[in-house]
Amino acid sequence: MSTLVEVQNLKQYFPIKAGFFKTVPLKAVDDVSFTVEAGETLGLVGESGCGKTTVGRSILRLYEPTAGKVIFDGEEVTDKNINKMRRRMQMVFQDPYSSLDPRMTVEDIIGEPLDVHHLCSNRKERREKILELMSLVGLNAEHARRYAHEFSGGQRQRIGIARALAAEPRFIVCDEPVSALDVSIQAQVINMFEELQEKLGVAYLFIAHDLLVVHHISKRIAVMYLGKIVEIADADELNDHPEHPYTQSLLSAVPIPDPNITRARQRIILEGDVPSPLNMPSGCAFRTRCKYATDKCAEECPALTDRGGGHFVACWNK
Amino acid sequence: MDKQFLISVQDLHTSFFTESGEVKAVNGVSFNLDPGEILGIVGESGSGKSVTAYSIMQILANTGRITGGRILYKGEDISSYSEKQMQNFRGKCCSIIFQDPMTSLNPVFTIGNQLKEAIVLHTDKKGAEATARAIELLELVGINEPHKRIKQYPFELSGGMRQRVMIAMALACEPDILIADEPTTALDVTIQAQILELITELQKKLGMAVILVTHDLGVIAGMCDNVVVMYGGRICERGTASEIFYNPKHEYTKGLLRSIPGLNNMKKKLEPILGTPINMLNLPAGCAFCTRCDAAMKICLTEVPEEVWINDDHKAACWMNVKEAFEEGGAGE
C-alpha cells in the first residue's frame, strides 16, 4: 500500500481577543503529523476540544493552517490547487440536520459536486450519476426530488455520504458521522462505510469520540489530547496494549455493553478536567492529570517515538 | 403478596396532545422499584423512557397528560397529591437530574444561590446554616474548593462540574429516589466515568434507589441491577442485567445487542436493525417493533404481545416466546 495523505507538522492556531489590541493564540492543533494509506481507515479519537475536528478541517483547508503541510498523493495541498484537490478529498459532517441545505432537493445536493467539478457533460448523464449514487448509499431513487427535512437522521447522513462520494474522491474525512444517530441506526451507517470502502477503495480519516465504534471501523487509531497526538498504533494493538497513560484511562472508561467484563474491569478514573487550551500546562499537556508525572514532564514536551511495529507513543515515562 | 415497593408504576399511559394529533408516548408501562435498587431504563429516542421518568415527577410539558394508570409511592397514589404535596414529593422523596448540565442551571444566579434555594425550600435551614449545607453538599459530590465555587456562576464551571452541581442539588433533601435522565450523554468519556462512579458511590453511601434512563447499553451494563428495555412506549423486556445481556428474549433487545460494537464482534460485520425508528403518531396495531423485526409473524401485526415470564428474573413481551413455549409444550405431549 502506498501513502495517500501525509500530514506534516500541522499547526492550527486561532487568535482569541485578550484585550483591545492584544490577541493570544489558541493552539487547537499543535504540531500534528500522521499518514493515511490508500484504502485504509485511520481513526482519530479524543475528547471534545482536543482538536480532532480541526485536524480534519485543516486538511481540507476549511481553515487556513497556521503552519505545516498536507501532501496528497505526492502533491502539496495549497490555496491554489485546493479546488482541484477537493475533487479527491471530501468530507462528511457530524450533524445531518445542519449540513444539508433545507432549500435544495436531494438531487441538487448530490449533484452540486458534479456541477462544481464539471463531471457531467449533459443533464441525462448527471441524472443517471445521481441515481447511481443514491442506490449506492441505499436511498430510494423515487426520493430524488424530495427535500432534506423529509428524511430521518440516518437517511440524511446517507445523503451527506452520497454528496461526498459524488466527485469520486480517494479520501474522505468523516467527522463524527454516526454520533448524532440512534443506536439502532448507527450500525447501518457503519456497515455502509465499510462496504463503500471495499467497493471503491476510498480511504477514511474517521473522527469520533466513541472508541468502540472507532475500533470497529479503523485499521489504525490515533489518540489526541489538547491538540497533540499522544499515541498512534494498529487498532488491536492500541486496544490490547495501550502505552500512554491517557489512552489507558480513556480505554478503561469506555462503557462496554457486557456486564461481566465491565464490572470485573479496573477503571482508571482521571482526576479533574481537561485544562483550557488557552492556558496550557508547560511540557506534556497531560501531566496535570497523569499519575506518572515527573519534573521532566513539566519541562519538556515528549515527542512521538516508535516503540516497534508502528506503535508510536509520546510519553517520557512509558 | 402485598409487598410495598418504593415506587410502583402501574399501567401508565402518557400522551401528548399536539396539533398533528395525540402522540401516545407511553402505553401501559408497569414496573416496581425497591429501596436501594439501581434500575436502568434503556431505549432509543422516542421510546418513551424519559416521558416515563417525567410522569413519575409530574413534570410533563403543557401538552402532555397522564391518561391512565397509577403511580404509587410507598403505597400512596401520587395523583391524589395536591400541588403542595407534590412539591414536597419532588426533592424530598424523588429528585431528577437531566441530560444537559449546561441548560439545567440558571445562568444568572450563582451555584450557591441555586443550591440554597433547594435547601431553604425543602428544609428548615436558613441563612448561614443553608450555606454550610450547600458547601457540605458540594464536598459530597467531589467538588474541590467549595467555598470558592459557591460564589461562581454556571458558565465558570466545566460540563462535568455542572453535572456534579446538579447532583448536589438533587441530593439536597436526601431523597429516596434519584432519577438520572441521560446524565452523561453530553459529557466526554473520562468525565462520564467520573460521574457514573460518583452516582454509584453516593447510592451506596446514602442508600437511595436510582432510576437510570439512558440509550447507552454500556452504561447500563456497568451500573444496573435490573434493566427495562423500552420500544415504542412499551416495555419489551425486563430482567436482571445478566439475563438481559446474556439471555435476551425479545427480538429488539437481541437486535440491539448485535448491532453495537462490543469486544467480541470487533472483527465481524455489525448486524444492524433494519428500517427506521417508528413514528409515534402512527403506531402499528400489534407489536411496535413488528415492522423492523426479522421474525415477525402474522399475529405480531395485529395483536400486542403480553409480557410472559421467561424465568424468575426475566420477562419479555414477544410472540416468539409464546410460540416457542407452545411448540415445546406440544412436543412434550
Side-chain angles (χ1 to χ4, degrees), chain A residues 154 158 178 181-191, chain B residues 43-45 215 217 231 252 255-260 270-278 289 292:
Chain A
R158 288 170 194 266
V178 296
L181 306 177
D182 257 319
V183 199
S184 69
I185 304 300
Q186 282 192 4
Q188 294 178 6
V189 176
I190 294 168
N191 275 358
Chain B
E44 48 196 294
S45 41
H215 67 270
L217 283 161
Y231 188 82
Y252 175 62
L256 210 53
L257 286 169
R258 274 199 300 262
S259 70
I260 47 172
L270 299 175
E271 298 174 45
I273 300 176
L274 299 175
T276 53
I278 48 164
F289 188 60
R292 302 174 72 187

Side-chain angles (χ1 to χ4, degrees), chain A residues 154-166:
Chain A
Q155 283 173 311
R156 282 174 200 226
Q157 202 54 291
R158 288 170 194 266
I159 301 171
I161 296 166
R163 173 176 65 186
L165 289 173

Side-chain angles (χ1 to χ4, degrees), chain B residues 12-13 79 139 172 181 184 210 273:
Chain B
L12 178 75
H13 286 76
S79 64
E139 254 164 30
D181 181 19
T184 56
V210 175
I273 300 176

Side-chain angles (χ1 to χ4, degrees), chain A residues 96-312:
Chain A
Y97 291 86
S98 60
S99 59
L100 301 175
D101 189 333
R103 290 194 279 187
M104 283 165 83
T105 60
V106 172
E107 193 177 4
D108 289 336
I109 290 170
I110 300 174
E112 197 174 18
L114 301 175
D115 302 339
V116 169
H117 297 291
H118 311 291
L119 298 179
C120 297
S121 47
N122 58 50
R123 289 189 75 89
K124 188 165 163 275
E125 199 186 318
R126 178 176 183 267
R127 171 116 188 129
E128 271 167 15
K129 178 85 191 154
I130 288 167
L131 294 183
E132 187 193 315
L133 283 162
M134 284 181 74
S135 76
L136 193 66
V137 297
L139 285 169
N140 195 333
E142 291 161 23
H143 297 163
R145 290 186 196 277
R146 291 198 184 174
Y147 290 90
H149 73 260
E150 299 175 64
F151 294 88
S152 66
Q155 283 173 311
R156 282 174 200 226
Q157 202 54 291
R158 288 170 194 266
I159 301 171
I161 296 166
R163 173 176 65 186
L165 289 173
E168 293 173 8
R170 293 179 58 201
F171 176 59
I172 299 180
V173 175
C174 311
D175 184 11
E176 304 254 14
V178 296
S179 48
L181 306 177
D182 257 319
V183 199
S184 69
I185 304 300
Q186 282 192 4
Q188 294 178 6
V189 176
I190 294 168
N191 275 358
M192 194 175 66
F193 273 115
E194 289 175 346
E195 278 158 22
L196 289 170
Q197 187 164 55
E198 279 161 30
K199 232 184 261 174
L200 310 171
V202 47
Y204 300 128
L205 177 66
F206 198 93
I207 302 168
H209 64 268
D210 187 331
L211 274 149
L212 288 172
V213 169
V214 170
H215 184 192
H216 191 273
I217 200 168
S218 308
K219 190 166 157 280
R220 288 186 306 138
I221 297 177
V223 181
M224 274 186 88
Y225 187 78
L226 275 181
K228 286 196 164 68
I229 290 181
V230 295
E231 185 160 5
I232 184 164
D234 188 77
D236 292 332
E237 164 75 12
L238 188 93
N239 199 56
D240 298 340
H241 310 286
E243 290 284 342
H244 198 281
Y246 177 63
T247 317
Q248 289 173 350
S249 60
L250 199 62
L251 283 169
S252 83
V254 177
I256 292 167
D258 190 318
N260 289 350
I261 297 178
T262 318
R263 287 171 202 206
R265 189 169 60 147
Q266 194 67 42
R267 273 202 284 198
I268 310 167
I269 305 266
L270 284 181
E271 295 286 319
D273 284 305
V274 184
S276 156
L278 277 175
N279 188 16
M280 286 239 252
S282 63
C284 172
F286 186 59
R287 73 179 167 86
T288 53
R289 300 170 81 192
C290 181
K291 60 178 175 184
Y292 306 104
T294 58
D295 292 344
K296 192 173 187 191
C297 303
E299 284 156 20
E300 217 180 322
C301 185
L304 271 179
T305 50
D306 196 348
R307 310 292 162 101
H311 192 151
F312 289 83

